[in-house]
Amino acid sequence: MNKALRKAVIAGNWKMNKTPAETTALINEMKPLVADAGCDVVLCTPFVDLQAALEATAGSNIGVGAENCHFEKSGAFTGEVAAPMLTEMGVQYVIIGHSERRQYFGETDETVNKRTLAALENGLTAIVCVGETLTQREQGVTAELVAMQTKIALLNVTAEQLKKVIIAYEPVWAIGTGRTATAEQAGEVCALIRATVASLYGKEAADGLTIQYGGSMNAGNAEELLAQPDVDGGLIGGASLKAPDFAAIVKAASK
Ligand code: PGA
C-alpha cells in the first residue's frame, strides 16, 4: 500500500454471524487489541447487530458498517433496509455487491450501481465488491470482467462522491475457501482496478482510492498481501470473527 497517497482500511465482514449479545462481547474483546491501529478499522455486521455494534464501539476507533442497503429511500420492498435508515442510526459504511449477494440474491452490476449511488447520496462510505469466479479466471477474462464491474458500479458517481468509495477486490474462488490469491495476483488486479478508475476520474483521484483485497486474508498472509503497492487494506470474513486474528491483520496494516 502507499500510505502517502491513501488510507489503509481493514474492514470485517461478519456475514450472517453473531447475535446482538455476541456482537457486544466480540467488540469488547477487539477494542483494546486495535486501539492503537495505524489504519482505519471497520466492522460490518448484520442489520440487527448494528445498534449493539454502535453502542459497543462508541468513543473507540472502530467504525461500523452494514452489509447491504437498498437503492430506494423507502417503499414496498419487504425485508430490505434503506440507506437513510442506516445513516440515521450512525452507521458510516456499507458493503455493496458482495459476491454472495450477487450469487445467492440476484444482485447484478446494475443493482450494485444503484445501491452504490444510494449509499453515497446518503453520506455512507460504500465498500464496493468486485471479483471473478474460478471459471472466469480460467477463461482468462479476469481483467475485462473486473474492469467492467468497476465501471458499471461507478456509473454516475461524481468525482466528489468517489472520495467515499472503497473498492474491494474479492476473487470469488478465494472467499471462505482458505485459498488465497497470491500477493502478485491480488496486486495485479488491484492495480488494474486503479487504472480503470484513473481512466474515468484521472490519476490523482485513482491514487487516492483505497482498494482492498478480500478472500481468506488472515493473520498469516496479511502482511505479504498488504505489501503490494496497490493493496490498501482488506475485507475480512472468517478471520474477523476472532478478535486476535482480526487484530493481527490490523497490526499488519498499521506498519
Ligand atoms: P473470507 O471472506 O475472509 O472468509 O474469505 C471475505 C469476504 O467474503 O469478504
Side-chain angles (χ1 to χ4, degrees), residues 9-22:
V9 183
I10 297 295
N13 172 14
W14 285 8
K15 309 194 178 187
M16 197 174 72
N17 292 291
K18 304 295 172 190
T19 66
E22 289 167 348

Side-chain angles (χ1 to χ4, degrees), residues 13 15 98-100 170 174-178 214-217 235-239:
N13 172 14
K15 309 194 178 187
H98 188 278
S99 64
E100 285 150 18
E170 298 208 311
I175 294 177
T177 58
S216 301
M217 194 190 259
L235 185 55
I236 322 296

Side-chain angles (χ1 to χ4, degrees), residues 13-222:
N13 172 14
W14 285 8
K15 309 194 178 187
M16 197 174 72
N17 292 291
K18 304 295 172 190
T19 66
E22 289 167 348
T23 297
T24 306
L26 181 53
I27 291 177
N28 284 338
E29 195 187 341
M30 277 181 183
K31 265 193 299 193
L33 304 180
V34 302
D36 57 0
C39 64
D40 286 3
V41 181
V42 181
L43 293 174
C44 299
T45 78
F47 291 127
V48 295
D49 296 333
L50 289 170
Q51 191 59 44
L54 287 163
E55 284 166 20
T57 56
S60 79
N61 61 329
I62 303 176
V64 172
E67 298 175 12
N68 183 29
C69 71
H70 198 264
F71 37 84
E72 295 293 345
K73 286 192 184 70
S74 62
F77 299 101
T78 303
E80 288 288 317
V81 169
M85 298 173 182
L86 299 172
T87 314
E88 189 183 302
M89 289 183 82
V91 171
Q92 296 167 288
Y93 296 82
V94 61
I95 299 172
I96 305 283
H98 188 278
S99 64
E100 285 150 18
R101 297 222 49 93
R102 295 180 190 253
Q103 193 176 346
Y104 305 127
F105 302 101
E107 198 81 65
T108 64
D109 289 332
E110 284 71 28
T111 56
V112 169
N113 174 236
K114 287 166 84 169
R115 290 179 205 266
T116 300
L117 289 169
L120 295 171
E121 279 156 17
N122 286 282
L124 295 162
T125 294
I127 303 176
V128 180
C129 302
V130 297
E132 82 288 1
T133 62
L134 187 57
T135 308
Q136 289 160 340
R137 176 160 283 268
E138 286 169 356
Q139 288 167 336
V141 298
T142 299
E144 291 88 343
L145 185 99
V146 171
M148 183 183 78
Q149 289 177 332
T150 303
K151 278 188 178 175
I152 298 175
L154 295 177
L155 272 178
N156 297 321
V157 170
T158 66
E160 192 54 35
Q161 287 175 324
L162 186 75
K163 293 176 185 160
K164 294 196 86 167
V165 172
I166 293 170
I167 295 186
Y169 167 55
E170 298 208 311
V172 179
W173 46 272
I175 294 177
T177 58
R179 194 176 156 184
T180 322
T182 63
E184 291 71 29
Q185 286 171 327
E188 186 186 6
V189 182
C190 289
L192 180 139
I193 292 168
R194 199 176 306 287
T196 304
V197 172
S199 74
L200 299 170
Y201 296 91
K203 184 174 183 309
E204 198 179 324
D207 280 344
L209 178 76
T210 295
I211 303 178
Q212 298 173 322
Y213 167 78
S216 301
M217 194 190 259
N218 58 41
N221 60 27

